[in-house]
Amino acid sequence: MVVYAGQGDPRRSIELLWRASVAEKRSGPKPGLSVDAIVDAAIAVADEHGMAFSMRAVGERLGRTAMALYTYVPGKNELVDLMYDRAMAELPTSYELDDGWRAAVTRWATDMWEFYGRHPWVLQVSQARPVLGPHEFAVIEALAAILVPTGLPGRELRGIVGAVNYFVRGAAQTVAEARAAGGATGEADEEWWYARSAVLLEIEPDLAKKFPMLHLLENDREPIDPELPYLENDAVENFRGGLKVLLDGVEGALTSSPP
């Protein structure tokens, strides 16, 4: 399920994201709800049930009706934007460079990986339409602040920031989808792999000879965590190994760049 951000009223969405004008600023008695309370409740619902939630479900979590929420948030479209940006407020906005840029980028990538694990629904919000909220900006600003001091040209830095960001997101997407597959299909991972691999080897017993390079890759490995399902182990291995190679490439660019 892909969700596109920025589908609500542009002015109201941006005002809410940047808090230029919010319901709490009204005069009179203190309101019983707040934008932040509604967004926090929506994040909790999405953490449990994914993006297929309703305003009614959020209202029930707060002990209110769906109609009570519309005083603060115009609709679900605007709420999705607010949820996405507020969730990102969990992430650090700066990283120490005492151990060098590489250690700091690794920490940033690890924080993002763990963040996606806590809030897999965030991965359903398409990057084609950014939310344009302050915390979304702050996350990329933190990564850029690590890499800009390397002295690489702006064009190269832009590509590196994008590559690291999309790499982490893609690796985390595999884990999120693997974890959701059992509930969505009604078939556990172990059952799925066992049934199909057995049939595949029965129909094509010479699979290893036909694809010797793939066979080599699959046999030259040990699971990182025996408790994790196959695809999660694969994603963790790809994340760690891929990030290392990606950062090796950045080091190569630093070495080859003129002083």
Side-chain angles (χ1 to χ4, degrees):
M1 176 183 180
V2 177
V3 176
Y4 289 97
Q7 294 192 72
D9 176 76
R11 177 167 294 278
R12 186 61 176 139
S13 292
I14 298 299
E15 284 178 347
L16 284 169
L17 283 164
W18 292 85
R19 293 301 193 269
S21 172
V22 294
E24 289 93 322
K25 290 184 178 180
R26 297 173 303 173
S27 60
K30 184 178 180 180
L33 281 178
S34 69
V35 174
D36 286 342
I38 293 169
V39 175
D40 288 344
I43 289 173
V45 171
D47 286 345
E48 294 176 7
H49 304 292
M51 290 299 284
F53 70 90
S54 64
M55 295 292 279
R56 178 181 178 183
V58 178
E60 287 176 351
R61 195 172 191 93
L62 292 164
R64 302 298 180 92
T65 65
M67 291 303 298
L69 309 185
Y70 293 116
T71 302
Y72 305 87
V73 180
K76 184 176 177 180
N77 287 332
E78 291 85 356
L79 183 55
V80 167
D81 294 357
L82 292 168
M83 291 164 58
Y84 184 93
D85 198 64
R86 185 168 178 82
M88 287 197 165
E90 297 177 12
L91 293 159
T93 57
S94 63
Y95 289 83
E96 295 292 335
L97 295 175
D98 296 346
D99 296 324
W101 67 265
R102 182 165 184 146
V105 172
T106 300
R107 184 66 257 170
W108 182 95
T110 302
D111 285 342
M112 289 301 300
W113 171 270
E114 294 172 352
F115 168 77
Y116 289 131
R118 293 191 301 273
H119 305 296
W121 55 269
V122 169
L123 294 163
Q124 294 177 262
V125 180
S126 172
Q127 297 292 281
R129 301 281 177 88
V131 170
L132 302 179
H135 301 299
E136 180 183 47
F137 279 112
V139 167
I140 302 302
E141 176 78 5
L143 177 58
I146 296 169
L147 290 165
V148 166
T150 63
L152 285 170
R155 184 178 293 273
E156 281 191 60
L157 285 172
R158 182 180 176 86
I160 293 167
V161 167
V164 173
N165 185 35
Y166 290 126
F167 166 75
V168 177
R169 183 181 172 94
Q173 186 95 43
T174 299
V175 174
E177 292 177 359
R179 290 176 179 176
T185 65
E187 186 176 21
D189 264 5
E190 294 80 2
E191 295 173 0
W192 190 94
W193 283 104
Y194 180 79
R196 280 155 184 78
S197 60
V199 173
L200 179 60
L201 289 175
E202 176 187 333
I203 293 175
E204 189 51 76
D206 293 329
L207 193 66
K209 292 181 180 178
K210 287 192 174 182
F211 302 99
M213 299 300 103
L214 292 180
H215 180 70
L216 176 65
L217 292 180
E218 285 300 311
N219 282 274
D220 187 20
R221 65 190 302 180
E222 291 290 336
I224 291 174
D225 184 349
E227 299 298 318
L228 289 178
Y230 171 80
L231 270 184
E232 283 198 44
N233 260 301
D234 198 52
V236 172
E237 183 178 8
N238 290 342
F239 171 69
R240 294 180 183 176
L243 183 62
K244 178 182 180 301
V245 172
L246 186 55
L247 298 186
D248 285 347
V250 178
E251 287 194 341
L254 285 169
T255 303
S256 61
S257 293

